[in-house]
């Protein structure tokens, strides 16, 4: 205690100087709009760079697990495509038709690779930060996926970083369907287990089984059809008893996701303009 008092007495003028400088800085940045915005922008840039360095270190030590997952996913997709080609060729005799159809369906989509630099799992409204922004062609409302399936939707974008609303956010709503069944619902997450989400509004007349795969429906400009979501584990009745609720084991492991890609649909702008024009026309006609 005596040494502490001697230290404070010896350097009291420096301690007072630092305290006054701190108070001045707080008053300057809190009560002046311009200085506050400069501080906020600088702090965000520094935080983004720190997250990026931390993510790079974590990614390096998890490369073997990521590569193993991608290898398994690629093997599964190759087997599925090969089976589809064989079935179609056996039915029509045209062995190249499936390849041409797949190329045509995917030609309008461009994938923008990115890395996850910050991610949360334990909050009701989780958010994810990736290291690509508007300078790289990313814009809000783009879908985000990874090698094992769906991730989320771009919520905000700056020049070099973007914030993604992942599936693990209670405000997320994504249109999806049961593979090879054609029944459409929407994917929601109610908190808790980050490996489980639910598909709501599946009609009562739907026919499916536990273990069936769920994938994106393609009924929006955000995701193409066929992006993997997960597998059905349990089936429940909805609260009103008019539809089913499906418990889905997500195919994406959000605790280890690192490499993702944003999906840029080149036709999204045209479709949104056309839909907006149709809605405006209906609104005008309804007002007459």
């Amino acid at each position: 205690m005596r040494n502490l008092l001697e230290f404070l007495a010896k350097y009291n003028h420096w301690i007072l100087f630092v305290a006054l400088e701190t108070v001045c800085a707080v008053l300057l940045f809190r009560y002046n709009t311009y200085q506050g915005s400069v501080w906020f922008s600088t702090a965000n840039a520094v935080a983004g760079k720190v997250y990026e360095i931390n993510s790079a270190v974590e990614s390096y030590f998890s490369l073997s697990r990521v590569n193993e997952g991608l290898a398994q996913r690629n093997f599964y997709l190759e087997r599925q495509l090969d089976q589809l080609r064989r079935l179609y060729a056996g039915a029509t005799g045209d062995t190249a038709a499936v390849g041409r159809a797949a190329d045509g369906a995917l030609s309008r989509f461009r994938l923008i690779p990115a890395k996850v630099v910050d991610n949360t799992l334990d909050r009701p409204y989780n958010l994810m930060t990736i290291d690509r922004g508007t300078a790289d062609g990313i814009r809000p409302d783009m879908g985000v996926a990874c090698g094992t399936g769906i991730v989320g939707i771009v919520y905000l974008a700056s020049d070099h970083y973007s914030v993604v609303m992942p599936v693990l956010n209670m405000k997320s709503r994504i249109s999806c369907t049961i593979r090879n069944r054609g029944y459409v619902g929407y994917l929601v997450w109610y908190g808790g287990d980050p490996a489980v989400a639910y598909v709501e509004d599946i009609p009562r007349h739907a026919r499916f089984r536990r273990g069936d795969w769920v994938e994106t429906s393609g009924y929006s400009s955000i995701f193409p059809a066929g992006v993997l979501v997960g597998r059905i584990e349990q089936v429940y009745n909805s609260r009103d008893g008019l539809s089913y609720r499906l418990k889905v084991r997500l195919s994406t492991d959000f605790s280890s996701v690192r490499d993702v890609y944003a999906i840029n649909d080149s036709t999204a702008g045209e479709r949104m303009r056309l839909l907006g024009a149709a809605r405006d026309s209906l609104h005008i006609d309804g007002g007459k």
Side-chain angles (χ1 to χ4, degrees):
M1 179 61 71
R2 181 179 177 182
N3 291 336
L4 176 61
L5 292 175
E6 289 178 354
F7 175 82
L8 294 176
K10 184 177 180 179
Y11 296 103
N12 64 86
H13 53 288
W14 286 108
I15 296 173
L16 179 61
F17 173 75
V18 171
L20 291 175
E21 286 293 314
T22 302
V23 171
C24 290
V26 171
L27 294 175
L28 176 66
F29 292 118
R30 175 169 292 183
Y31 298 105
N32 292 274
T33 304
Y34 174 73
Q35 287 84 352
S37 64
V38 171
W39 167 257
F40 183 76
S41 300
T42 304
N44 277 351
V46 172
K49 184 57 68 175
V50 171
Y51 287 145
E52 186 175 354
I53 294 172
N54 181 66
S55 176
V57 173
E58 291 181 357
S59 297
Y60 177 79
F61 288 105
S62 63
L63 280 178
S64 60
R65 183 173 56 179
V66 171
N67 289 335
E68 181 181 352
L70 289 176
Q72 291 176 353
R73 178 64 179 156
N74 287 338
F75 177 81
Y76 171 79
L77 291 175
E78 287 173 0
R79 302 286 74 75
Q80 189 178 48
L81 181 59
D82 182 65
Q83 183 182 20
L84 180 60
R85 282 174 173 159
R86 290 175 184 272
L87 290 173
Y88 192 87
T92 65
D94 187 351
T95 59
V98 173
R100 291 195 303 269
D103 291 341
L106 296 176
S107 62
R108 75 173 197 260
F109 296 102
R110 182 171 70 92
L111 304 183
I112 304 173
K115 290 188 178 295
V116 177
V117 298
D118 186 40
N119 186 24
T120 60
L121 300 174
D122 56 350
R123 303 172 187 175
Y125 304 101
N126 293 295
L127 294 174
M128 177 184 294
T129 305
I130 59 177
D131 66 347
R132 293 290 183 270
T134 55
D136 307 291
I138 291 181
R139 65 177 186 275
D141 295 329
M142 279 186 176
V144 179
C146 65
T148 56
I150 195 171
V151 173
I153 300 171
V154 176
Y155 182 61
L156 293 173
S158 63
D159 289 345
H160 303 293
Y161 294 94
S162 298
V163 175
V164 176
M165 180 187 293
V167 170
L168 305 184
N169 185 303
M170 293 176 65
K171 290 187 176 181
S172 174
R173 297 289 187 275
I174 297 173
S175 176
C176 55
T177 183
I178 303 172
R179 177 181 291 170
N180 298 327
R181 305 286 185 178
Y183 305 111
V184 177
Y186 61 93
L187 184 72
V188 296
W189 183 70
Y190 295 115
D193 191 348
V196 171
Y198 294 85
V199 178
E200 300 282 4
D201 283 355
I202 295 296
R204 297 288 295 184
H205 63 269
R207 294 292 178 266
F208 53 87
R209 299 190 302 267
R210 281 188 295 179
D212 281 352
W213 287 101
V214 176
E215 57 192 17
T216 54
S217 65
Y219 286 177
S220 72
S221 60
I222 298 175
F223 289 101
V227 179
L228 195 60
V229 172
R231 212 163 197 167
I232 300 173
E233 277 196 347
Q234 295 289 338
V235 180
Y236 307 98
N237 288 323
S238 63
R239 293 181 180 178
D240 58 12
L242 300 178
S243 60
Y244 289 124
R245 170 189 291 177
L246 311 181
K247 180 181 178 182
V248 175
R249 177 68 54 175
L250 297 172
S251 60
T252 299
D253 182 359
F254 284 88
S255 65
S256 63
V257 64
R258 292 290 181 271
D259 293 282
V260 298
Y261 51 87
I263 304 171
N264 182 17
D265 183 354
S266 61
T267 67
E270 179 181 352
R271 284 189 288 157
M272 292 302 292
R273 287 193 297 271
L274 182 61
L275 181 59
R279 287 173 175 168
D280 291 342
S281 176
L282 290 173
H283 177 71
I284 293 172
D285 291 342
K288 288 183 178 179

